[in-house]
């Protein structure tokens, strides 16, 4: 998890992974065969969470028109994201997904990228059902911004603790989720309803 998250598929080394796992490279190859198979095993550990996300989006898209809101979409994503981050190696896996989604060198993992893109399209479809007047480009852009903010929040919990330490420490997960939901909903709504700056007024390049 850690090596793939830090270095991506191409940059990760089976020799380095074996060294840090304190096993021989021969043993690693015996159990997994190749770097691709090892990456596939890592992804399989969390496949259930990815399937949960797809099922949640399918259910929201199947709901009667006008019954699903942007907040429903955001809250579903936050719930599954926080559950994934809480899993063993969850934060590393989230970073790994971000790398896999945009890493053209890992061609053998195209099925994973396709699954991620399928989930993203379901989210965009649901956004357009909430805002039928929005363009698909606006909805897709809103998705990328929202997913990026969610990912950064999920893997940045340690930094949040440094920026806002609490004495005595206590669990603020519900507060964090509520604040994050409000932020994402407001941002998505603004992105879908307002023209972009380049359409309204050219930006000065300084």
């Amino acid at each position: 998890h850690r090596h793939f998250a830090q270095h991506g598929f191409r940059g990760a080394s089976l020799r380095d992974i074996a060294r840090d796992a304190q096993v021989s490279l021969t043993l690693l190859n015996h159990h997994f065969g190749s770097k691709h198979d090892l990456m596939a095993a890592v992804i399989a550990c969390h496949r259930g969470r990815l399937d949960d996300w797809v099922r949640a989006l399918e259910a929201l898209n199947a709901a009667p028109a006008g019954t699903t809101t942007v907040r429903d979409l955001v809250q579903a994503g936050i719930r599954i994201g926080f559950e994934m981050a809480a899993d063993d190696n969850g934060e590393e896996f989230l970073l790994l997904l971000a790398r896999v989604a945009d890493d053209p060198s890992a061609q053998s993992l195209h099925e994973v990228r396709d699954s991620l893109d399928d989930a993203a399209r379901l989210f965009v479809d649901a956004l357009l059902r909430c805002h039928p007047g929005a363009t698909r480009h606006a909805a897709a852009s809103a998705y990328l911004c929202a997913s990026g903010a969610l990912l950064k929040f999920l893997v940045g919990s340690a930094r949040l603790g440094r920026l806002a330490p609490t004495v005595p420490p206590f669990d603020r997960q519900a507060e964090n989720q509520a604040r994050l939901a409000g932020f994402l909903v407001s941002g998505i709504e603004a992105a879908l309803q307002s023209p972009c700056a380049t359409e309204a007024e050219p930006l000065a390049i300084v």
Side-chain angles (χ1 to χ4, degrees), residues 32-193:
F32 297 102
S34 68
K35 187 162 66 169
H36 169 263
D37 290 336
L38 181 58
M39 171 77 97
V42 166
I43 292 171
C45 292
H46 305 272
R47 191 74 202 199
R49 295 294 187 197
L50 297 177
D51 292 341
D52 288 344
W53 177 223
V54 170
R55 283 192 291 268
L57 290 172
E58 288 175 341
L60 289 168
N61 270 303
T67 59
T68 297
T69 66
V70 172
R71 182 168 292 275
D72 294 330
L73 288 168
V74 165
Q75 288 178 331
I78 288 175
R79 174 180 61 80
I80 293 172
F82 270 78
E83 290 173 353
M84 189 178 292
D87 290 339
D88 290 341
N89 304 116
E91 290 192 9
E92 289 90 348
F93 181 67
L94 289 167
L95 289 173
L96 171 59
L97 287 184
R99 281 186 171 274
V100 169
D102 298 312
D103 184 0
S105 68
Q107 290 299 324
S108 58
L109 297 174
H110 64 88
E111 292 182 3
V112 176
R113 284 201 301 276
D114 289 347
S115 295
L116 294 174
D117 286 349
D118 287 344
R121 292 186 188 96
L122 286 171
F123 192 95
V124 170
D125 290 343
L127 281 182
L128 291 174
R129 294 186 73 214
C130 297
H131 288 268
T135 66
R136 190 166 190 86
H137 181 271
S141 298
Y143 166 79
L144 288 178
C145 292
S147 60
L150 174 59
L151 175 64
K152 184 62 178 178
F153 194 95
L154 290 172
V155 301
S157 56
R159 190 179 185 199
L160 179 60
R162 295 197 305 271
L163 294 173
T166 57
V167 182
F170 58 95
D171 185 5
R172 309 190 74 156
Q173 188 175 97
E175 178 185 344
N176 289 339
Q177 291 189 26
R179 183 171 289 111
L180 181 59
F183 177 84
L184 295 179
V185 170
S186 296
I188 290 173
E189 295 280 4
L192 293 177
Q193 295 176 0

